[in-house]
Amino acid sequence: MPRSPGWYYSGSTTTDLQEDGVMTAEPDRDAAGSETAEALEEAADSTGLDVLARSGFAVLAVLHILIGSIAAGIAFGGYGQAETSGAIGPLARSEPFGPLLMWGGCIACASLALWQLAEATVRVRHRPPRERLVKGVSSGALVFIYGSVAATFAAFASGRGRDSGDSTSDFSAVLLASPAGAPALAAVGALVLGVGGYFVFKGSARRFRPELNYFEDTRRGHLLNALGVAGHIGKGIALALVGLLFIAAAVNHRAEESTGLDGSLQALLGYPFGAPLILAIAAGLICYGLFALVRARWGKM
């Protein structure tokens, strides 16, 4: 069949356009980009990353249980820092395995952050635009959260660990001093508050159930369901408290008011209902940790 003088479709997998004898590379670039995305997705689905990401879930599970236990102690008048550094610090100082535990936790959480990055990018490229946006925002936020935990492990492993509340206040101070100022800090608070609200919704609506490879209608299934509901709601309330402190710091232009979860719990002690609420949050964090342990073993990846 004779060619038309304009352009023609070659019929090959990589479509070439020929226009007056000049080859255009747009389709080739599209094909190359698709092949790159497929290669990245294949790497993200590798067994090695799967094992490391699951270990990241297990590390986070232990951290939630430890933080919940510290929070419970605070509710009964005890001492401790109910935050990541408060849970990691004693482990970092344990001899002779402290540094090894820190680097192991760093690698596990960094791998989980990388897995979530794949969730937000290459794994959602074939979904509808709205689903890509929602997944990009949710998994993107988790990339930041898990990456921050990995950085905390690395800091303690190298002997530079510090109080998470101080780090949060320093972060707030940097934002307040930036050109964006208080609105940027308030936006961070609103984002954390929104994530907390999503966790409460996810727990109350039982949206966590599809994350498990099985959910039998048995006693074990009912137990996991109870842990998931209580855990997600408790974690959501804890995140909401942290978000509210960010917003308060932005409104009052006082970076020192954003002191993370531990500061939120300490502030609650000044109210009559403070101790029971702290105890409920502590129980929720422990439940979330137990659920995350199950997620690490039987969760969908």
Side-chain angles (χ1 to χ4, degrees), residues 150-162:
T152 302
F153 272 111
F156 274 95
S158 58
R160 296 180 291 105
R162 54 182 306 207

Side-chain angles (χ1 to χ4, degrees), residues 4-264:
S4 63
W7 59 271
Y8 70 94
Y9 172 59
S10 66
S12 61
T13 304
T14 302
T15 308
D16 294 328
L17 295 181
Q18 184 175 12
E19 196 166 344
D20 296 330
V22 179
M23 300 296 294
T24 59
E26 291 290 338
D28 287 332
R29 283 198 294 267
D30 291 342
S34 178
E35 291 175 0
T36 301
E38 289 176 2
L40 290 173
E41 184 176 3
E42 184 176 351
D45 292 337
S46 65
T47 302
L49 183 59
D50 180 273
V51 172
L52 288 173
R54 288 181 185 277
S55 67
F57 274 121
V59 169
L60 290 173
V62 173
L63 286 181
H64 279 85
I65 293 173
L66 291 175
I67 294 172
S69 300
I70 295 172
I74 292 175
F76 288 109
Y79 296 94
Q81 295 177 342
E83 53 194 6
T84 304
S85 62
I88 291 178
L91 296 176
R93 292 187 292 269
S94 63
E95 295 292 344
F97 301 110
L100 183 62
L101 289 174
M102 295 301 100
W103 285 121
C106 175
I107 294 172
C109 292
S111 299
L112 185 54
L114 183 61
W115 184 83
Q116 287 291 351
L117 180 61
E119 284 282 286
T121 54
V122 294
R123 290 200 185 100
V124 297
R125 67 187 192 278
H126 297 307
R127 296 187 183 180
R130 183 178 178 277
E131 289 186 22
R132 290 201 302 268
L133 177 62
V134 172
K135 191 63 177 176
V137 172
S138 60
S139 292
L142 291 176
V143 171
F144 174 77
I145 293 172
Y146 298 154
S148 298
V149 177
T152 302
F153 272 111
F156 274 95
S158 58
R160 296 180 291 105
R162 54 182 306 207
D163 183 88
S164 297
D166 293 339
S167 300
T168 304
S169 296
D170 291 345
F171 170 75
S172 299
V174 170
L175 276 185
L176 284 176
S178 69
L185 185 58
V188 171
L191 177 61
V192 176
L193 183 62
V195 173
Y198 171 72
F199 266 88
V200 172
F201 166 74
K202 184 177 179 180
S204 58
R206 303 179 183 181
R207 292 291 184 89
F208 54 83
R209 292 172 64 120
E211 294 177 355
L212 298 175
N213 276 318
Y214 77 97
F215 210 100
E216 303 167 356
D217 189 19
T218 61
R219 181 178 301 176
R220 179 173 56 180
H222 292 312
L223 175 60
L224 291 179
N225 187 69
L227 289 174
V229 172
H232 283 82
I233 292 177
K235 181 178 176 65
I237 294 174
L239 287 171
L241 290 174
V242 175
L244 288 174
L245 281 189
F246 274 120
I247 296 174
V251 172
N252 299 325
H253 290 268
R254 292 173 57 88
E256 61 271 19
E257 292 186 6
S258 59
T259 52
L261 176 61
D262 185 67
S264 302

